[in-house]
C-alpha cells in the first residue's frame, strides 16, 4: 500500500497537469474574457470582486466568489465545465504562468511586494491547514519556492516581459488599495466596461476591506471550518508587515534572489515597477 501511495503521489500532479493542458487547448475564448492573474496572496480576490461589481448589479447572493469568477486552472484541471457556463463577460481567476494561459484575452496582473506576499502566504497556510505553522521555517521554504504556491520569482519572471502588452494591465496591489477609485476607472477603461457614475459609490464600498470582511464567507477558500474560532480569510489587507517577519538571514537571501532576478529582467530606472525587484520594500 505504501508503494501504491507513493506512485499515486507522483502520478496525481502529472495527471492534473495533463488535464489542465488539454483543457486549455480545448478552451473556447470569448471576446470579453478577462483573466485576473497573480502569484497567490497579491490581491486576486479584491480584483475579482471589483470586476464582479462592475459587470453585474453587485448582489451578494452568490455562494462563493469562484461561482461567478471561476478559478480557471482549478476548473479545467478537473474537467469541470463551470468556466464555459458563466455568462459573458467571463471573469477568470488564475495563478498560472504566462505560457500556460490561452492567448488573445485580456489579463489583469496583480503584483505585490514579495515580503508582504510571503507573510500573507504564511497566514493562508495556517488557515487552510487548520494548524499553526512555524513562521521562520515557512518563510525559508517560501524563499526557496517550496511552498504550495511555488516560486514568486519564477512567476514574476514569466509575466514581466508582457507588462506593457496592449492586452495586459499590470497593477501594483499597494496602489490599488491606496486609490480604489482611480484603479476602478483604469480597469474599466482597460476592459472596455462602461460604468455609470451612480454605480461607482457602490463598487468602491463593496470593494472596501470592511465590506469584504463582513462577507468573509463569500471569499474563504476552505470548504468547512474546523472550529468556530478559526481566523478569517480576509485579514488586514495591508502593507509592510512582511519586512519585520523575516530574520536577517532571510532578508539577505531575499536580497540575493531579487538581485539575480533584476539582473535577468534588466528593468530601466524609469520603469514604475522596478522597485519591486529592490531589496528595499516596494511602494
Amino acid at each position: 500500500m505504501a508503494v501504491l501511495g507513493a506512485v499515486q503521489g507522483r502520478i496525481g500532479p502529472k495527471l492534473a497537469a495533463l488535464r489542465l493542458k488539454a483543457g486549455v487547448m480545448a478552451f473556447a475564448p470569448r471576446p470579453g474574457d478577462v483573466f485576473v492573474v497573480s502569484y497567490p496572496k497579491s490581491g486576486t480576490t479584491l480584483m475579482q470582486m471589483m470586476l464582479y461589481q462592475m459587470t453585474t448589479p453587485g448582489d451578494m447572493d452568490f455562494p462563493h466568489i469562484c461561482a461567478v469568477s471561476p478559478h480557471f486552472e482549478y476548473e479545467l484541471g478537473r474537467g469541470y465545465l463551470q468556466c464555459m457556463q458563466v455568462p459573458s463577460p467571463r471573469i477568470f481567476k488564475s495563478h498560472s504562468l504566462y505560457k500556460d494561459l490561452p492567448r488573445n484575452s485580456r489579463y489583469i496582473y496583480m503584483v505585490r511586494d514579495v515580503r508582504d506576499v510571503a507573510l500573507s502566504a504564511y497566514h493562508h497556510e495556517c488557515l487552510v491547514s487548520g494548524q499553526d505553522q512555524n513562521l521562520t521555517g515557512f518563510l525559508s521554504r517560501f524563499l526557496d519556492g517550496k511552498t504550495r504556491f511555488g516560486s514568486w520569482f519564477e512567476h514574476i519572471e514569466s509575466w514581466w516581459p508582457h507588462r506593457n502588452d496592449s492586452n495586459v494591465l499590470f497593477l501594483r496591489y499597494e496602489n490599488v488599495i491606496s486609490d480604489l477609485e482611480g484603479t476602478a476607472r483604469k480597469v474599466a477603461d482597460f476592459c472596455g466596461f462602461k460604468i455609470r457614475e451612480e454605480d461607482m459609490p457602490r463598487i468602491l464600498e463593496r470593494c472596501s476591506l470592511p465590506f469584504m470582511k463582513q462577507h468573509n464567507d463569500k471569499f474563504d477558500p476552505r470548504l468547512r471550518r474546523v472550529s468556530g474560532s478559526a481566523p478569517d480569510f480576509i485579514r488586514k489587507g495591508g502593507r509592510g508587515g512582511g519586512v519585520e517577519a523575516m530574520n536577517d538571514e532571510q532578508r539577505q537571501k531575499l536580497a540575493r534572489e531579487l538581485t539575480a532576478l533584476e539582473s535577468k529582467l534588466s528593468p530601466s530606472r524609469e520603469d514604475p515597477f522596478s522597485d519591486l525587484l529592490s531589496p528595499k520594500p516596494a511602494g
Side-chain angles (χ1 to χ4, degrees), residues 242-257:
V243 178
E244 290 78 18
M246 292 184 179
N247 59 33
D248 288 342
E249 181 180 349
Q250 290 166 343
R251 292 189 190 101
Q252 292 169 10
K253 179 175 176 57
L254 174 61
R256 293 194 297 271
E257 294 290 344

Side-chain angles (χ1 to χ4, degrees), residues 6 12 48 123 142 148 160 166 213 238 245 277:
Q48 285 177 279
H123 287 290
F142 178 92
R148 70 174 71 217
W160 185 270
S166 60
K213 283 183 71 68
L277 309 179

